[in-house]
Amino acid sequence: MSVRNLYLAVLQFGLLGATDLKVLVDWINRTLKVEHIVVQNLEEDLFDGLILHHLLGKLAGVHLSVEEIALTSSAQIRKLEMILEALNEKLGLQDDSPARWSVKLIHSKDLLATLHLLVAIVRCFQPDLELPLNVSVEVVLLEVNRNGIKSEKKTEILTDASGDSTTDSQSSSDLEDPIEQLLNLDSHKVNIVKQAIMHFVNKKMSALGLQVTDMEKQFADGVILLLLIGQLEGFFIPLHEFNLTPVNHAEMLHNVTLAMEHLNDMGLPVSNVDPQDIVSQQMTAILKVLYALFKKHKSR
């Protein structure tokens, strides 16, 4: 598995509350009440184009010759293409104008893109609707490549102090702890990064005929961690210094403690990780240790 050009993104709604979303949900439901349409979830209910088509007809008087209910992904995308083309025209967007939404983003249930689109529709067709002020969304982008994990955090502003939508964004790069940011992602994306790190580990351990398939369990006893450190640093850890086949908690803890001591001696102290955390199979601790090794030895 290649770890090059693997991009992940997560939305953190610390600055966007449920109340802010409810304003838009309630507005859609009021607008489409006579058509007996009820929206409960913006991501799940708008991605196929059904709601957007009804909004386009109700607010702009535009009725397109499209399927009322598109069941297949390809049909939904074709429907969205026609709807967004008509909406963008009504919103005054030119073909070369940068838009914060697209067919791909809406269909993939990107909440940020959906919110940008809905705010633009409200501003165009119902400017008297009072939207919450100063609503912003924090977007964390993680890039996993052969040089490590690069993180960037952007704050996208949906409405400013006057309630108007804006395209301003603020960003900051190189977050202090990319592993902590990584673990805020959904489980599928976390697993992708775990696989990338396991690829690095298995590449180094192949010379010993070993392979890691379960990161939490296989690193908990400290054996593979010690062998990995030896492989990466080019030295042999005498077998009498650790337990090659630990049978109890004390022997596992001894192994992991020894591994952490070697990391400190190598100038790779890992903050906020206790040997007991690894023995207890805490993923955050294991990833922090492996990432420290990955970052140091990535190009070797």
Side-chain angles (χ1 to χ4, degrees):
M1 172 183 174
S2 173
V3 297
R4 183 174 296 176
N5 297 329
L6 172 59
Y7 291 90
L8 305 174
V10 61
L11 302 184
Q12 298 181 313
F13 297 108
L15 304 177
L16 174 67
T19 302
D20 302 319
L21 297 177
K22 190 174 185 298
V23 170
L24 291 171
V25 170
D26 289 347
W27 168 72
I28 294 173
N29 289 335
R30 287 195 306 271
T31 302
L32 302 179
K33 183 177 180 180
V34 296
E35 301 181 42
H36 306 291
I37 290 177
V38 177
V39 170
Q40 295 180 325
N41 183 288
L42 293 177
E43 297 141 293
E44 296 296 332
D45 295 343
L46 272 71
F47 82 98
D48 62 356
L50 174 64
I51 304 300
L52 290 174
H53 186 216
H54 280 268
L55 285 175
L56 179 64
K58 184 71 175 179
L59 298 171
V62 176
H63 301 277
L64 303 173
S65 298
V66 295
E67 301 174 62
E68 176 65 11
I69 300 178
L71 297 178
T72 66
S73 178
S74 58
Q76 292 165 358
I77 290 173
R78 286 195 301 270
K79 182 176 180 178
L80 278 172
E81 287 173 345
M82 296 178 64
I83 293 169
L84 288 186
E85 182 180 359
L87 270 174
N88 289 343
E89 182 178 345
K90 291 295 181 180
L91 294 173
L93 294 181
Q94 305 297 323
D95 291 340
D96 57 350
S97 299
R100 312 308 285 272
W101 58 85
S102 66
V103 171
K104 181 178 180 180
L105 289 175
I106 298 298
H107 189 257
S108 64
K109 304 179 183 180
D110 187 298
L111 181 55
L112 181 57
T114 302
L115 291 173
H116 275 302
L117 175 58
L118 290 175
V119 169
I121 292 173
V122 169
R123 286 294 168 223
C124 179
F125 297 107
Q126 219 162 0
D128 56 330
L129 179 68
E130 292 188 8
L131 293 175
L133 306 180
N134 295 318
V135 178
S136 57
V137 179
E138 285 188 350
V139 183
V140 176
L141 303 173
L142 294 180
E143 175 190 348
V144 182
N145 55 42
R146 69 189 306 271
N147 295 316
I149 300 177
K150 179 182 178 181
S151 54
E152 179 180 1
K153 181 169 65 176
K154 289 185 177 181
T155 299
E156 294 226 14
I157 301 171
L158 290 168
T159 62
D160 59 19
S162 65
D164 291 331
S165 60
T166 176
T167 59
D168 291 343
S169 65
Q170 302 169 346
S171 65
S172 59
S173 299
D174 299 323
L175 302 178
E176 291 184 1
D177 194 336
I179 296 301
E180 295 288 352
Q181 295 295 332
L182 164 66
L183 294 175
N184 286 327
L185 299 172
D186 62 60
S187 59
H188 171 69
K189 293 173 180 176
V190 173
N191 285 335
I192 291 176
V193 177
K194 285 169 60 178
Q195 290 172 22
I197 293 179
M198 280 202 296
H199 170 77
F200 161 78
V201 171
N202 285 329
K203 182 179 179 181
K204 301 300 179 182
M205 298 301 293
S206 61
L208 299 178
L210 297 174
Q211 183 178 25
V212 175
T213 58
D214 188 323
M215 192 179 291
E216 292 98 321
K217 291 182 179 179
Q218 288 181 263
F219 279 98
D221 64 9
V223 175
I224 289 183
L225 181 57
L226 284 167
L227 296 175
L228 176 63
I229 291 172
Q231 283 292 102
L232 293 172
E233 291 296 312
F235 61 78
F236 177 74
I237 301 175
L239 296 180
H240 69 268
E241 291 187 4
F242 69 100
N243 302 286
L244 189 59
T245 55
V247 295
N248 55 46
H249 179 273
E251 291 180 352
M252 295 167 65
L253 186 60
H254 169 81
N255 285 352
V256 175
T257 300
L258 178 62
M260 299 299 289
E261 290 174 354
H262 278 294
L263 288 176
N264 284 324
D265 292 342
M266 292 158 48
L268 287 178
V270 183
S271 61
N272 301 319
V273 173
D274 186 270
Q276 179 59 51
D277 297 337
I278 295 176
V279 176
S280 300
Q281 301 183 23
Q282 293 185 20
M283 178 50 59
T284 302
I286 295 170
L287 281 176
K288 284 184 176 182
V289 170
L290 294 180
Y291 178 64
L293 290 168
F294 170 66
K295 194 168 185 179
K296 179 179 180 181
H297 295 276
K298 58 186 179 290
S299 59
R300 298 183 185 182

